[in-house]
Amino acid sequence: MALALIFPGQGSQSVGMGRELAEAYPAARQVFEEVDEALGEKLSDLIWAGPEDRLTLTANAQPALMAVSLAALRAAEAEGFSVDKAAYVAGHSLGEYSALAAVGALSVAETAKLLRIRGEAMQKAVPAGKGAMAAVLGLDHDAVVALCEASAEGEVCQLANDNGGGQIVISGDKAAVERAIALAGERGAKRAIPLPVSAPFHCRLMQPAAERMAEALAGAEIRAPRVPVVANVVAAAITDPNEIRTRLVEQVTGQVRWRESMEYLAGQGVDTLFELGSGKVLSGLAKRIDKRLKAQPVGAPADIQAALSLLN
């Protein structure tokens, strides 16, 4: 058996996530305390009690999801698990920061601060109402690229997330994304659905946020990870701290190549995935991307024993 740890991205948040872990494991609670201290506020109160609309704000959701993922890892470690049992780690968009913290490339406090900056910068990059994102179902990668090119008409319309399982997300100027939604059916898509997001992530419109993250990451201490990290923008494993820094900046405007990342893991012999954190979105995608991949969500105390039993 070969194991990889995967970490969810924005959209997996829910009020109350991680509370059971914090109540059951002191090591998990300590993660929330570290994040609270790093941010100078009780983000844990917002995570566990809401309100949901505040938790969903990008600047809150990103560090909150990281906190839950790292709490799940610490809880598993308290039961005898070691991150060194994994051959690789990977995270979806902000989850890449969680993955880096999990394998020691970033401290939890540094990761929380970077994600707060990232969330605020992504929110501010584009005026409200100017950008949009949509999920296109039932078209392959090349067909969606062609759809975006046909819909741009001088504006930005890009493939943002290739999630696999027939789900691809596009991003860009609102009018261009709306044209793509209207055209998708003619191009053979099953559906094209506008997404309730606050900004058009992972496209060229995020360039101001990329520049802000380049500044923030330049001052961050990034160490060599204990386990190779599969980076979103290259869908391959990296370990060099300087390359990690570069790829994190590129990720703000670049495509999340999640389908290819999972195919890369399967090609390297990985057959088991632990999805550490809130929800089970990535576990569901993994099974649709490659039937060789077995995925186990690890977001609550009961999940930990189920996951560890797979290692025996």
Side-chain angles (χ1 to χ4, degrees):
M1 191 200 85
L3 173 69
L5 309 180
I6 56 176
F7 297 83
Q10 204 160 334
S12 291
Q13 68 275 359
S14 62
V15 173
M17 61 182 182
R19 175 177 283 208
E20 289 182 54
L21 292 168
E23 290 173 346
Y25 295 95
R29 175 171 285 278
Q30 186 178 353
V31 172
F32 291 105
E33 291 171 353
E34 285 182 54
V35 171
D36 287 350
E37 183 176 351
L39 298 180
E41 64 179 84
K42 293 281 284 184
L43 185 66
S44 56
D45 287 350
L46 178 61
I47 295 170
W48 296 331
E52 186 176 5
D53 59 344
R54 276 193 59 219
L55 178 61
T56 302
L57 291 174
T58 303
N60 292 327
Q62 295 199 16
L65 283 161
M66 181 278 295
V68 177
S69 287
L70 269 291
L73 176 60
R74 298 287 180 262
E77 288 174 338
E79 296 288 357
F81 179 71
S82 170
V83 72
D84 297 316
K85 292 180 180 177
Y88 300 93
V89 297
H92 191 283
S93 191
L94 83 89
E96 191 165 307
Y97 286 78
S98 306
L100 288 163
V103 292
L106 289 167
S107 70
V108 170
E110 183 91 83
T111 308
K113 292 173 185 175
L114 287 170
L115 286 174
R116 171 56 57 82
I117 293 168
R118 185 178 185 267
E120 290 175 344
M122 293 172 88
Q123 190 66 61
K124 291 175 183 172
V126 179
K130 177 172 166 38
M133 299 182 77
V136 179
L137 308 181
L139 290 182
D140 65 19
H141 178 279
D142 291 347
V144 174
V145 170
L147 172 67
C148 289
E149 290 172 351
S151 305
E153 296 182 11
E155 294 185 306
V156 174
C157 188
Q158 286 179 247
L159 196 160
N161 303 346
D162 183 358
N163 289 330
Q167 181 197 105
I168 294 178
V169 174
I170 62 173
S171 182
D173 286 296
K174 188 171 188 286
V177 172
E178 287 173 347
R179 287 192 291 271
I181 291 170
L183 184 60
E186 295 176 26
R187 295 292 183 104
K190 293 176 183 175
R191 292 176 71 193
I193 309 158
L195 297 179
V197 294
S198 55
F201 305 129
H202 299 292
C203 75
R204 292 195 304 277
L205 296 176
M206 287 286 113
Q207 184 58 33
E211 292 167 4
R212 178 69 185 94
M213 288 312 297
E215 294 173 8
L217 286 159
E221 182 185 357
I222 301 178
R223 296 171 291 277
R226 287 163 58 187
V227 174
V229 179
V230 179
N232 285 185
V233 294
V234 293
I238 62 175
T239 57
D240 177 69
N242 288 325
E243 183 175 8
I244 289 170
R245 187 177 279 108
T246 298
R247 300 307 183 193
L248 288 176
V249 175
E250 291 174 351
Q251 190 215 65
V252 179
T253 56
Q255 183 188 137
V256 176
R257 296 168 60 182
W258 192 251
R259 172 184 58 83
E260 293 170 88
S261 295
M262 294 302 99
E263 290 172 348
Y264 173 85
L265 290 176
Q268 298 300 309
V270 170
D271 55 13
T272 304
L273 305 171
F274 289 173
E275 180 178 3
L276 288 153
S278 179
K280 51 186 178 181
V281 170
L282 299 182
S283 296
L285 288 174
K287 295 166 189 171
R288 297 203 293 275
I289 292 169
D290 194 309
K291 289 183 171 57
R292 291 174 291 178
L293 294 172
K294 296 179 297 185
Q296 170 66 44
V298 183
D303 299 331
I304 294 171
Q305 293 306 324
L308 295 183
S309 69
L310 297 176
L311 299 178
N312 299 329

